[in-house]
Amino acid sequence: MKDNQENRNVMGVVLAGGLSSRMGKDKALLKIASSTMVKRTERLLRNTSVDKVVISRNDGNPSHFSDLISGAGPLSGIHSIATRFPHYNLLIQPVDLPLMDTKNLESLIACGREQSKNVRFKGSNLPLFVQNTPQFRQILDYTLKCTQSYSVARLCSHFLMLELRASADSKTFNTNTPEQWRFAMQHFEKNHQPNTQEVRYESF
């Protein structure tokens, strides 16, 4: 029986398994107000139209999904979920995009569902809407087992990708270093004036 990609359910994936070596501390545990980025990202996905949300994280928590093949950065987390849940398409959102919002994620979901294509924002490899086909899983599995090229961009180069424009470039701003995190928090504060007192800066 043919797998109808268009009618598949969509799983929201929180990518939270990185080493955070450039940040100097676990990015998933950085906080805005009293909410860690892993919880904040989970809530962000639950506020979209995805059918289910899971967390990819190597912390021993039985409710989280650890890597099946470790050491390949985000691809390890993507592989873990794509392999375990082959009947879901995936909306993949990492924990280090603190300025992303539901409106922009919904645009990825809508386009992915309507066009039955992989979708990302122009100039950014994550977040990413993935058609979790056997071909996708085969190439992902081969990439992790038989190559040393573990970039999301390289993986995406194997597939037709639709590209949307985010509502603002800041929405896809990635925070890998303390300086980038501070910059993102300044932007957050500027755009959330009524809740400025809720922004909690981490000390580095």
Side-chain angles (χ1 to χ4, degrees), residues 10-188:
V10 177
M11 176 174 288
V13 182
V14 179
L15 281 187
L19 297 176
S20 304
S21 55
R22 284 183 285 171
M23 184 65 75
K25 58 173 60 179
D26 192 339
K27 289 184 288 187
L29 301 182
L30 295 177
K31 292 183 178 180
I32 298 178
S34 59
S35 181
T36 63
M37 284 307 300
V38 65
K39 288 297 184 183
R40 185 179 177 85
T41 306
E42 179 185 20
R43 185 168 63 248
L44 176 68
L45 288 172
R46 291 193 186 282
N47 286 335
T48 69
S49 60
V50 298
D51 302 285
K52 182 181 178 68
V53 176
V54 296
I55 298 173
S56 169
R57 182 162 170 78
N58 302 301
D59 61 355
N61 186 323
S63 67
H64 297 167
F65 293 90
S66 60
D67 296 344
L68 298 173
I69 301 176
S70 61
L75 293 193
S76 287
I78 296 170
H79 172 268
S80 170
I81 302 303
T83 301
R84 287 182 167 108
F85 299 97
H87 300 299
Y88 282 87
N89 289 331
L90 309 177
L91 175 66
I92 302 161
Q93 169 71 17
V95 295
D96 55 7
L97 300 179
L99 304 178
M100 182 51 64
D101 58 25
T102 55
K103 180 180 178 180
N104 280 278
L105 290 179
E106 281 293 353
S107 69
L108 292 182
I109 297 168
C111 185
R113 280 177 161 157
E114 292 169 7
Q115 302 295 324
S116 296
K117 295 290 190 300
N118 303 304
V119 192
R120 63 185 175 187
F121 290 116
K122 188 175 180 62
S124 182
N125 293 304
L126 293 169
L128 176 66
F129 185 94
V130 168
Q131 302 289 330
N132 188 16
T133 62
Q135 181 194 24
F136 174 80
R137 293 190 299 276
Q138 182 180 24
I139 291 176
L140 182 56
D141 194 62
Y142 175 84
T143 299
L144 266 64
K145 293 178 178 178
C146 303
T147 78
Q148 297 296 317
S149 179
Y150 301 142
S151 75
V152 178
R154 182 65 180 272
L155 176 69
C156 290
S157 71
H158 293 288
F159 306 97
L160 175 64
M161 301 292 304
L162 298 183
E163 292 192 335
L164 306 180
R165 285 197 175 274
S167 61
D169 289 343
S170 61
K171 298 301 180 181
T172 56
F173 182 73
N174 184 271
T175 54
N176 283 315
T177 67
E179 292 74 23
Q180 290 171 338
W181 175 258
R182 292 190 188 101
F183 180 86
M185 292 303 94
Q186 289 169 4
H187 187 93
F188 181 91

